[in-house]
Amino acid sequence: MAQLSLKHIDKIYDNNVQAVFDFNLEIQDKEFIVFVGPSGCGKSTTLRMIAGLEEITAGTLEIDGVFMNETAPKDRDIAMVFQSYALYPHMTVYDNMAFGLKIRKLPKDEIDRRVREAAKILEIEEYLERKPKALSGGQRQRVALGRAIVRNAKVFLMDEPLSNLDAKLRVQMRAEIIKLHERMGATTIYVTHDQTEAMTMADRIVVMKDGYIQQIGSPKEIYNSPANIFVASFVGSPAMNFIKGSIKGKTFVYGNNVLEVPEMFYDCLKDYDGKEVILGVRPEDLHCESIVSETYPNMKVDFTVDVAELTGHELIIHGNTEGQAIVGKVSARNEISNHQNIKLYMDGSKIHFFNVETEMRID
Amino acid sequence: MFIEFLFDYLTLCIVHICGIIIWVMYMYYLFISNKPIDMTTFELTLNSVIEDEFDFVVYDAYSGHIETGFSISTFLKHQLTLINSDLGQSIKILGTPKLDDLSMYLLKHILKMNSPYHSLADAITISLIQNDEATKQLFLHYFDHVNKELIDSILSFVEHGSNVLLVSKLLYIHRNTMNQRISKFTDITNLDMRDVEHNQLVYLYRLLKDNTNLF
């Protein structure tokens, strides 16, 4: 398998539009990396540059220490899985899987061995003689994966492979891809705009926006220590709440509400006394329970409920505090109704502070 | 009825099958890559994935065209990414009804466009969005060889949802006359008005012609 090294990669199109800016990333052997970000953030462009389908304007791409910028896509030993089931409609499953190897002129025995081995891994042995139209969406996507597996490539690139599937099947295929990665151990780069896919599948996530890397980290790091407001708001559903206020001594003041800043933030906020900052708190870190109110009695938020949505075991409460809209996620055991005034308590160990101007995390 | 059907469907090049003269609508698929293409493997691959016969013409190491007597636009739209992945190349294709200056000009432009396959109408639209003056000028003269009455009838036809009955009423002509004009237009331009891509091309021409002052 393979290690990838991307150093100072830029992509500038002929019309001077820059799609990717100074992209730096070291990918370890067998790692599962997910590029995530909104449409147009440069994630697919980066993937296509790794595949060799787009020219690299500046910077270097190395696979296992070998300079790859000028190498033709076919010589990069990379297999790609695309959006939409991407199969030849008139060929059988077997022929679809074998086709890439046939045009590389591999011996028939070898092709047969690889196709049957991949079919076994993907549990599609009984469908080998069927044509794609006789398969379900999930089965077709497995065949598409099979086409990549038979290549025995060093690196797997997956460009939103589940985005055309319905929600239920997507969850199922997500698990299958994780299992497949564990079994094969291939270095994999997976592009998605779906933060749930990123969080559930990745060893490390690369969050991108407007062509720039915003943060690289494990799903836990990205969730618990977002580097800036964009990452904080992009990951998590419902998104993190942001409350604008200012630091006054050891307190955070917004409107008439005063919160006591937990001791762990004293050091990093010492330069912000009297200045505006943004406090970030995830909906699930707002609580009604007495255990939190007893631990953080001075982290009280007066909350006016606009709408309370019952999702089953949870209650999503939309409302505002001091005129700033926030969302809370509390246990459905709490009796909360629309237009009610309640008190919520922030878990002081889970709050974040961001610089108003740079929008970067303060720590 | 059968002959009428054939005439309705097929134009331009004549082939003889069992003594019946059939007009065949030719399509050209111009291809280009920014890296040299392994032409032998590319042709072999196309032979395996396109079930009918086609001509394969190479211009240089980077480009050429595929000539077919049938449309493979939908196929290419869906399968070109897959073909590129099997070939390990990044080939882009422009589907066009004729090998003219505009198509040859746009061939180089599609290299910079995102999708691997573009119809002529797609490529023109993207170029116009990019304010490409040469595309605008070439396209404004695209139907110069078609007489005014004929092109006006066809523009009305596309403007009114390609509805023969409706447009023949509006133009005070018999629907057969309108059908004949459409066939004549197809003869002259190699554009089949039932083909969405071709229809879009004429519609785009109408929009450009009516709004030239905006560009």
Side-chain angles (χ1 to χ4, degrees), chain A residues 90, chain B residues 43 46-55 66-72:
Chain A
H90 65 285
Chain B
E43 191 179 358
L46 291 174
N47 265 317
S48 309
V49 295
I50 298 172
E51 289 171 303
D52 292 283
E53 282 186 11
F54 59 87
D55 291 332
I66 307 153
E67 203 173 321
T68 60
F70 46 93
S71 173
I72 52 168

Side-chain angles (χ1 to χ4, degrees), chain A residues 150-217:
Chain A
V150 295
R151 298 267 309 276
N152 278 354
K154 279 183 183 175
V155 184
F156 273 42
L157 304 180
M158 301 191 184
D159 192 0
E160 309 215 19
L162 307 184
S163 61
N164 278 1
L165 304 181
D166 71 51
K168 200 175 166 190
L169 192 55
R170 208 179 307 152
V171 174
Q172 191 187 324
M173 284 307 295
R174 214 159 64 193
E176 295 222 10
I177 291 175
I178 297 168
K179 272 197 281 178
L180 187 68
H181 175 253
E182 279 170 4
R183 199 178 305 174
M184 305 207 28
T187 308
T188 305
I189 305 172
Y190 186 103
V191 164
T192 180
H193 60 266
D194 182 338
Q195 46 124 341
T196 315
E197 271 177 34
M199 292 295 286
T200 53
M201 299 174 88
D203 290 328
R204 277 193 303 156
I205 297 174
V206 178
V207 185
M208 294 182 74
K209 184 197 169 201
D210 298 336
Y212 290 94
I213 292 181
Q214 302 293 311
Q215 189 172 4
I216 302 171

